[in-house]
Amino acid sequence: MTSNLYLWLIPILPLIGAAINGFLGKRLSRQAVSAVALTFSGAAFAMALYVASQFSSLSLPHIETVAPWIRAGQFQVDFGFYLDQLSLVMLLVVTGVGFLIHIYSVGYMWEEGGFYRFFSYLNLFMFFMLTLVLANNYLLMFIGWEGVGLASYLLIGFWFIKDSAASAGKKAFITNRVGDFGFLIALFLLIQHFGTLTFSDLFQKVSALSPETAGAGLLTAIGLLLMVGAAGKSAQIPLYVWLPDAMEGPTPVSALIHAATMVTAGVYMVARSHAIFERAPEALTVVAIIGTLTALFAATIGVAQTDIKKVLAYSTVSQLGYMFIALGVAAFSAGIFHLMTHAFFKGLLFLAAGSVIHSVGGEQDMRRMGGLRTKIPVTFWTMTIATFAIAGIPPLAGFFSKDEILWRAYQASWIYWVIGVFTAFLTSFYMFRLWFMTFFGTYRGEAESGHGQDPHGHGHGIHESPKIMLVPLVILAILSVVGGWIGVPGSLGGSNRFDHFLGPVFRSTAPALNAAHTAPGETAPPENQTEGTEPQTGHSTELAFTGISVLAGLLGLGLAYLLYYRRPELPHRIATSLGSFYEAVRNKYYVDEIYAAIFIKPLIDGSSKVLWKGIDQGVIDNSVNDAADGARDVSDAVRRMQSGNIRSYASWVALGAACVLAYMIWMGTR
């Protein structure tokens, strides 16, 4: 009998920290607020490490039921937690990276107003995210899912006196609600047809079903609806538009929510739902297509952005697309592998970008940076490591996870692979563009001797960040180097231990892969190939494709070197020659403007007379007015009965008594 690990303590600890700072933080010093936030988030990380140390002795999946929860006829859900290889990886990523970002935030936010409020929100976010990844059923997962949306809204709009920040928070909240609507309908279908939302019971019932190879069915519908929810949370086409605007929040928020944790919730949910998706190959194909298009689309936008955080935001959208490519070709372990390495190098990129912004007095436009490598050397070297990692340069972490995705994508369809390689080239180009524009050449901003301050109170003199901000950078830089070594493939002399570690999760219910997993006109993977096993192809072929992906990264580096270091006058000439096409890319293909014209303006702008009259006047106003008119008519009729005449009142009493007697007689004769 396995001992109880008290998994419930892991999410409860940051919740306690959130409550203390939320209710008492205004009366506490900044040191006390910091101590509370770091103590409880650090304790959650320590508990996660303890769980990891006991993991090998557990009978998996390890389920801990805290209390009975919902009972409604035959349907019942308990409040409990679920631990297996997948949730352990997520647990360590959320608590580990989250704790480092808490440490960084102490230095970054020290001079900001609302210091206690920020850390209360940050702890609250960790509570909901940990609830999401540890939940043993979809209902509890959905509570965590909605909770991280709430916490994200609070953190993105932290500087609520800025209209842009307040609008960004609302945009994120509303866009996520669109995706959540699909998720919720999927849960209703699961309850109706399977009678449970508990993972162990549900997946056992789903596993007894055959793949829907003849066309779309119930599982395909559920899978597509789950993907709608994942697209909202993980910023996939067409619901990606909230994430770039979310950069209005403080930089630590960008690192925690929009790089390492919240945006990966959709990836985790699809991977957790693998039993459903494996039996809905058409839904899997949709996942792969959406991921492929998102990866490419966001990468092209990132090429033309000049705000350092916006570049990283579109990079995040693109990398999430990579993860969905992996999920869509049923390479679930590869998708989670990239989720983990991405948390390391993208979290580092955002924190290093925050250090750059901090050092230059709040400036975020890369055109006003340059020559910073000698002035902020620790930030420069750590961001260099992260840049090479995301570009897929060996032997850094990003190389192994991205190469694994590309290789498994090729096993399903050369179309996915070609687009993936081209996206890798674009990723390398725009990241090294950021690197050269920020750290090389001459400084293009305001004079270093300036002593003005930006709206957040940071001085303009260029300076390295304090040690409390640099220590997390160094730790994440180390993880960005070695974090991928646990997934070295057999073609490079390794055994892909990460893939084998997660293998039991995905093998337990996996049917043989079939042709419906592939793109039209493609050949299917071998029937005996399942998750956790190496593809049945020679290592020499895999090495050749590895070389191509590395070459794509090096070509991106070379082009960025030419345009932004050797010939810095060329980008302007190229942009001018491209004319309206470049303007379209720079303006993000006007997607926000299109959405505003189609969805937002007609609903809120009175100039759209058709919808205004149909919805506002025809439905809302008329329903209110009709209710008022009805109440007035009834009151008028009743008022006429009150004549003040005693004889009239007596007549009404007699009539009422006669009706009662007639009713009693009629009932007695039946």
Side-chain angles (χ1 to χ4, degrees):
M1 189 74 175
T2 305
S3 60
N4 198 317
L5 294 175
Y6 301 102
L7 293 175
W8 60 272
L9 277 175
I10 300 177
I12 285 297
L13 286 167
L15 179 62
I16 295 173
I20 293 174
N21 278 332
F23 291 114
L24 305 176
K26 196 171 184 177
R27 294 188 287 273
L28 299 176
S29 66
R30 291 178 184 261
Q31 290 85 351
V33 169
S34 304
V36 169
L38 294 181
T39 296
F40 286 98
S41 59
F45 179 46
M47 276 293 297
L49 292 176
Y50 168 73
V51 168
S53 71
Q54 302 296 310
F55 191 75
S56 60
S57 63
L58 300 177
S59 176
L60 299 177
H62 176 76
I63 301 172
E64 293 186 4
T65 300
V66 178
W69 191 14
I70 295 177
R71 299 290 186 270
Q74 297 298 317
F75 176 74
Q76 61 181 39
V77 174
D78 293 327
F79 193 95
F81 298 99
Y82 188 96
L83 181 69
D84 62 359
Q85 292 88 341
L86 176 59
S87 51
L88 179 66
V89 171
M90 293 297 298
L91 183 63
L92 292 173
V93 168
V94 173
T95 57
V97 177
F99 180 54
L100 291 175
I101 293 173
H102 273 72
I103 296 173
Y104 176 96
S105 299
V106 173
Y108 191 88
M109 301 296 293
W110 189 259
E111 301 297 330
E112 301 291 346
F115 188 77
Y116 75 94
R117 184 165 51 88
F118 177 82
F119 280 100
S120 178
Y121 296 163
L122 213 59
N123 276 181
L124 183 67
F125 171 84
M126 283 195 67
F127 161 70
F128 283 121
M129 190 67 199
L130 290 169
T131 300
L132 189 158
V133 301
L134 284 173
N136 78 328
N137 59 79
Y138 278 111
L139 187 59
L140 185 56
M141 175 191 279
F142 188 75
I143 290 177
W145 187 275
E146 292 296 289
V148 295
L150 169 64
S152 175
Y153 165 76
L154 295 172
L155 287 166
I156 294 169
F158 177 74
W159 288 314
F160 56 85
I161 59 174
K162 289 174 56 181
D163 288 340
S164 57
S167 297
K170 289 185 288 186
K171 186 176 183 179
F173 192 80
I174 294 170
T175 306
N176 272 270
R177 298 293 75 72
V178 175
D180 296 349
F181 182 67
F183 191 4
L184 199 57
I185 295 176
L187 299 192
F188 291 154
L189 288 176
L190 289 173
I191 294 172
Q192 180 182 4
H193 293 279
F194 297 99
T196 182
L197 293 178
T198 303
F199 294 149
S200 54
D201 297 336
L202 176 64
F203 296 154
Q204 184 178 7
K205 293 180 179 180
V206 171
S207 299
L209 303 178
S210 300
E212 296 177 343
T213 55
L218 172 65
L219 295 181
T220 300
I222 293 172
L224 291 175
L225 289 167
L226 290 175
M227 182 56 198
V228 171
K233 197 68 74 183
S234 292
Q236 298 295 286
I237 289 175
L239 300 177
Y240 72 93
V241 291
W242 67 269
L243 193 146
D245 286 11
M247 297 302 107
E248 290 291 338
T251 300
V253 173
S254 304
L256 178 64
I257 296 179
H258 309 117
T261 53
M262 174 183 161
V263 292
T264 60
V267 179
Y268 168 74
M269 185 264 281
V270 173
R272 174 60 70 200
S273 308
H274 65 95
I276 296 172
F277 281 93
E278 285 164 340
R279 287 156 183 81
E282 291 192 13
L284 267 186
T285 300
V286 171
V287 172
I289 292 173
I290 288 178
T292 303
L293 294 177
T294 302
L296 176 62
F297 184 77
T300 61
I301 296 176
V303 166
Q305 300 305 301
T306 55
D307 184 309
I308 189 170
K309 288 177 67 176
K310 286 292 180 70
V311 174
L312 297 179
Y314 281 104
S315 171
T316 297
V317 176
S318 183
Q319 296 302 304
L320 289 165
Y322 260 103
M323 298 175 205
F324 277 97
I325 293 174
L327 299 177
V329 299
F332 300 103
S333 293
I336 299 301
F337 187 25
H338 197 58
L339 182 156
M340 181 188 73
T341 61
H342 179 264
F344 299 152
F345 60 70
K346 184 56 66 64
L348 173 55
L349 283 168
F350 269 113
L351 295 187
S355 182
V356 170
I357 294 167
H358 181 86
S359 72
V360 295
E363 181 60 67
Q364 294 184 198
D365 193 331
M366 298 184 297
R367 295 171 296 184
R368 298 179 183 177
M369 298 179 186
L372 297 179
R373 69 184 186 280
T374 58
K375 306 180 192 311
I376 48 174
V378 178
T379 300
F380 165 69
W381 284 111
T382 53
M383 197 165 192
T384 297
I385 290 172
T387 303
F388 276 78
I390 193 175
I393 306 300
L396 281 75
F399 159 72
F400 294 104
S401 58
K402 186 178 292 186
D403 184 64
E404 179 73 9
I405 290 176
L406 290 173
W407 175 237
R408 299 300 290 269
Y410 174 75
Q411 295 291 309
S413 167
W414 66 267
I415 299 174
Y416 301 149
W417 178 80
V418 168
I419 296 177
V421 169
F422 182 64
T423 302
F425 161 74
L426 292 178
T427 301
S428 177
F429 171 71
Y430 67 65
M431 286 307 307
F432 282 110
R433 169 180 176 264
L434 178 153
W435 189 59
F436 284 118
M437 290 181 71
T438 303
F439 295 108
F440 291 84
T442 57
Y443 184 64
R444 300 178 295 275
E446 296 183 17
E448 293 182 43
S449 58
H451 296 289
Q453 289 189 329
D454 69 276
H456 311 314
H458 301 134
H460 286 303
I462 299 176
H463 57 282
E464 184 64 278
S465 298
K467 290 183 179 179
I468 196 170
M469 292 171 62
L470 296 179
V471 169
L473 297 186
V474 173
I475 295 174
L476 286 172
I478 294 171
L479 292 172
S480 297
V481 174
V482 306
W485 294 358
I486 61 173
V488 179
S491 62
L492 296 176
S495 59
N496 205 338
R497 287 175 292 173
F498 188 85
D499 188 54
H500 288 293
F501 176 73
L502 287 180
V505 176
F506 302 117
R507 275 201 304 269
S508 59
T509 61
L513 298 182
N514 53 73
H517 283 154
T518 64
E522 299 300 321
T523 58
E527 291 187 1
N528 62 342
Q529 179 186 323
T530 57
E531 192 68 31
T533 63
E534 292 288 331
Q536 306 294 316
T537 309
H539 288 332
S540 59
T541 305
E542 186 175 352
L543 280 174
F545 280 91
T546 297
I548 294 173
S549 65
V550 173
L551 179 62
L554 294 176
L555 286 175
L557 166 59
L559 184 60
Y561 171 78
L562 173 65
L563 296 180
Y564 294 96
Y565 186 79
R566 296 292 297 174
R567 301 286 301 278
E569 76 281 0
L570 283 180
H572 179 70
R573 293 183 189 174
I574 295 173
T576 302
S577 65
L578 292 174
S580 58
F581 175 74
Y582 175 78
E583 284 300 308
V585 176
R586 189 172 69 86
N587 288 285
K588 292 92 70 179
Y589 300 108
Y590 303 105
V591 172
D592 284 306
E593 290 80 1
I594 293 171
Y595 282 8
I598 295 176
F599 300 111
I600 300 173
K601 189 175 181 180
L603 291 175
I604 65 174
D605 191 347
S607 64
S608 181
K609 295 183 179 179
V610 175
L611 282 175
W612 175 60
K613 288 184 177 180
I615 296 176
D616 192 19
Q617 286 188 339
V619 177
I620 299 174
D621 287 355
N622 285 348
S623 62
V624 174
N625 293 336
D626 290 347
D629 291 342
R632 184 181 59 226
D633 293 342
V634 171
S635 65
D636 285 344
V638 173
R639 180 171 55 83
R640 292 191 184 98
M641 297 170 61
Q642 310 302 318
S643 62
N645 190 315
I646 296 177
R647 185 177 296 174
S648 175
Y649 292 160
S651 299
W652 283 113
V653 170
L655 178 62
C659 290
V660 171
L661 287 172
Y663 174 76
M664 294 176 66
I665 293 170
W666 177 73
M667 289 295 294
T669 59
R670 292 186 64 184

